Amino acid sequence: MKLSSIAAAMFASLVSRGALTSAFTLSAPARRGIQSSSTFRLAAEGGGRTSSAVTDKDLISKTKKGGGKKSEKKQRLNTNPPKGTRDFYPEDMRQRTWLFDQWRDVAKTYGFSEYDAPVLEAESLYTRKAGEEVTEQLYNFVDKGDRAVALRPEMTPSLARMVMAKKGGLGLPLKWFSIPQCWRYERMTRGRRREHYQWNMDIWGVGGVEVEAELLSAMVDFFERVGLSAEDVGIKVNSRMVIGEVLSELGIPEEKFAATCVLVDKLEKVPIDAVQDDLEELGLDRSVVEKLTSVLTNKSIESITEVLGEDSEAVKQLAKLLSLCKAYGIEDWIIFDASVVRGLAYYTGIVFEAFDRRGELRAIAGGGRYDKLLETFGGEPTPAAGFGFGDAVIIELLKERNILPSFESAGIDAVVFAMNADLYDAAISVATKLRKAGQKVDVVLENKKTKWVFKHADRIKSKYVVIVAPDEYSNGEVSVKDLSCGEQNAVKIEDLGEWAAGTI
């Protein structure tokens, strides 16, 4: 008998008697694998077990690369972000940070405090009224806990939830601002994406139009800070009370006012025939909307006064607001326009909308009074007003007017590099001194040629290159080149802090 046959027989005998149990202990997964697959099967003779690999004639072909099958071609990664969203590369981030800083500075100037909330909220927070665009554009889904949730399309409902959560524990008036990312699945146009950042400023606890005037002043303050004038941007103002008074005269019940306003807002984008079914569902005749649209063509307080009368509460409210805007010195920015109603059902009083006077872009910002929002969530009646100001349209406008700053520079003050590896520790020490003195410093981390270093410094728009060279370093100095003029000077290492402070 051949040795291989003897060895196989001995192995089979040992396995059948369980003699190898202590030598070969299989984990539970391994045991399950043996039991559930054909990897091991009973031998034809002797009742023992043998590996199927021994009897598998196709073993070699199966163990070839690809398992005997043609390797599937790897799918190339789609490097585009999801449609309607953006990547923010460093230059884009510098632009975004600049814009956010402008918003924050204005908000703090007006005494507002910043807050935030989760980007994911309960879907029910937004499904207030059928017909609102925001309700139809939700990014919503059922999570693994079987909860209906949505990515926030706006911030105001989250603010209302937060106020309610404190159960009257917040001191009023409340002046809060935020810069949340918001999501809406909508048709994309210039300045309109499916996600955007939005500056929100809200005041709760004050019922007068003094609130709206303060908010309008803050908005104008921002426009002026970024270089825009009243010739570039206007702000249309109106009151939902105008529509309310007209509807009352036409015998339309108050509970249909908000839904009617949502429909009227749509008429700016679509013909009346497109909302005919919605009108019928509300029980409104076409003549009612036609009467409304005729009233909404008024562009002056005088003309709307002729329609509503001098005793109209809407007229008095608007007149007072315009008077306050004059006191703020922003009257050149403000325009009365009865057609502005805004598309959210929760607005109850003054509404406003900032627009590009050239008419090339969609609304820049908008807001108004929403005194009854908290009640819709079961809270106590609380007067409130605010606005939302998206990041996309304002950037387009600043580009259009050619007043958007450049963000190519990374803000680096100096690039420090060692002429050879032996001086790298010295370069680190030099960079540390400069950083402690307040400079933003980039250290060349590899052994690079001088030509590469200067190209790198130019690419990142550094102001200086600090060279740690053997001769200068032996004299306790470094060479500093000013990239704006090409001038190069030696600076004592012990004086670097003083030099750096003078460049900031």
Side-chain angles (χ1 to χ4, degrees), residues 45-321:
E45 64 274 355
R49 295 187 179 186
T50 183
S51 169
S52 61
V54 176
T55 59
D56 193 341
K57 296 177 181 178
D58 298 323
L59 175 64
I60 294 177
S61 65
K62 285 182 179 179
T63 56
K64 283 182 179 178
K65 188 176 181 180
K69 295 181 181 179
K70 228 176 184 180
S71 297
E72 292 184 11
K73 191 175 181 181
K74 288 185 178 179
Q75 187 175 357
R76 187 177 177 84
L77 175 69
N78 180 0
T79 58
N80 294 316
K83 190 172 182 180
T85 66
R86 299 166 286 177
D87 291 318
F88 289 89
Y89 288 90
E91 187 174 336
D92 304 315
M93 280 300 299
R94 289 191 286 273
Q95 175 183 285
R96 193 178 90 181
T97 300
W98 169 82
L99 179 63
F100 288 10
D101 286 346
Q102 300 296 321
W103 283 342
R104 285 191 171 98
D105 287 347
V106 171
K108 290 173 183 177
T109 298
Y110 281 73
F112 283 68
S113 298
E114 188 167 7
Y115 74 99
D116 201 2
V119 68
L120 191 68
E121 289 276 18
E123 182 188 73
S124 58
L125 200 60
Y126 310 109
T127 52
R128 296 174 303 271
K129 301 282 185 180
E132 283 186 326
E133 277 190 341
V134 67
T135 301
E136 299 164 0
Q137 296 167 350
L138 286 177
Y139 273 94
N140 54 336
F141 58 95
V142 176
D143 70 9
K144 293 180 179 180
D146 203 31
R147 293 173 288 261
V149 294
L151 297 179
R152 66 177 169 227
E154 54 165 330
M155 194 63 162
T156 310
S158 294
L159 173 58
R161 177 183 59 73
M162 291 172 68
V163 172
M164 282 187 67
K166 289 296 183 180
K167 299 178 180 177
L170 295 170
L172 298 178
L174 173 153
K175 297 175 75 175
W176 285 4
F177 82 96
S178 61
I179 308 176
Q181 188 179 32
C182 299
W183 296 80
R184 294 188 186 187
Y185 194 88
E186 58 183 339
R187 186 175 64 86
M188 293 180 296
T189 58
R190 185 183 178 191
R192 183 192 291 257
R193 299 182 178 91
R194 288 175 178 166
E195 58 80 21
H196 68 282
Y197 287 89
Q198 182 171 288
W199 177 35
N200 290 270
M201 288 183 66
D202 295 86
I203 300 176
W204 286 55
V206 180
V209 293
E210 291 82 2
V211 167
E212 288 88 334
E214 177 87 343
L215 293 168
L216 291 170
S217 178
M219 192 182 286
V220 170
D221 192 338
F222 166 78
F223 286 134
E224 291 177 336
R225 289 184 188 217
V226 297
L228 294 166
S229 71
E231 294 180 0
D232 299 302
V233 176
I235 306 175
K236 300 174 183 177
V237 300
N238 188 27
S239 174
R240 283 278 182 95
M241 293 173 67
V242 170
I243 295 180
E245 290 182 16
V246 174
L247 290 175
S248 292
E249 285 188 13
L250 294 172
I252 306 301
E254 186 177 351
E255 60 266 21
K256 294 185 179 181
F257 286 7
T260 304
C261 287
V262 172
L263 285 181
V264 170
D265 183 66
K266 289 182 179 180
L267 292 177
E268 193 174 284
K269 307 163 194 169
V270 299
I272 192 169
D273 291 335
V275 296
Q276 186 64 43
D277 291 343
D278 295 318
L279 291 172
E280 291 175 2
E281 189 175 331
L282 282 172
L284 300 178
D285 294 331
R286 188 186 184 104
S287 60
V288 171
V289 177
E290 289 174 346
K291 168 69 174 175
L292 265 178
T293 52
S294 69
V295 171
L296 299 183
T297 57
N298 289 280
K299 304 293 181 183
S300 71
I301 289 292
E302 291 76 20
S303 60
I304 202 69
T305 300
E306 291 178 7
V307 174
L308 301 178
E310 292 183 358
D311 294 331
S312 162
E313 287 300 318
V315 169
K316 291 177 182 178
Q317 185 186 65
L318 287 163
K320 184 175 181 180
L321 175 64

Side-chain angles (χ1 to χ4, degrees), residues 411-416 431 433-441 463-464 466 496 499-504:
I412 303 298
D413 293 308
V415 171
V416 175
K433 286 179 182 292
L434 296 176
R435 286 167 175 163
K436 287 184 176 179
Q439 278 198 344
K440 299 175 181 67
V441 178
K463 297 174 185 176
Y464 301 94
V466 179
L496 277 173
W499 170 81
T503 64
I504 298 172

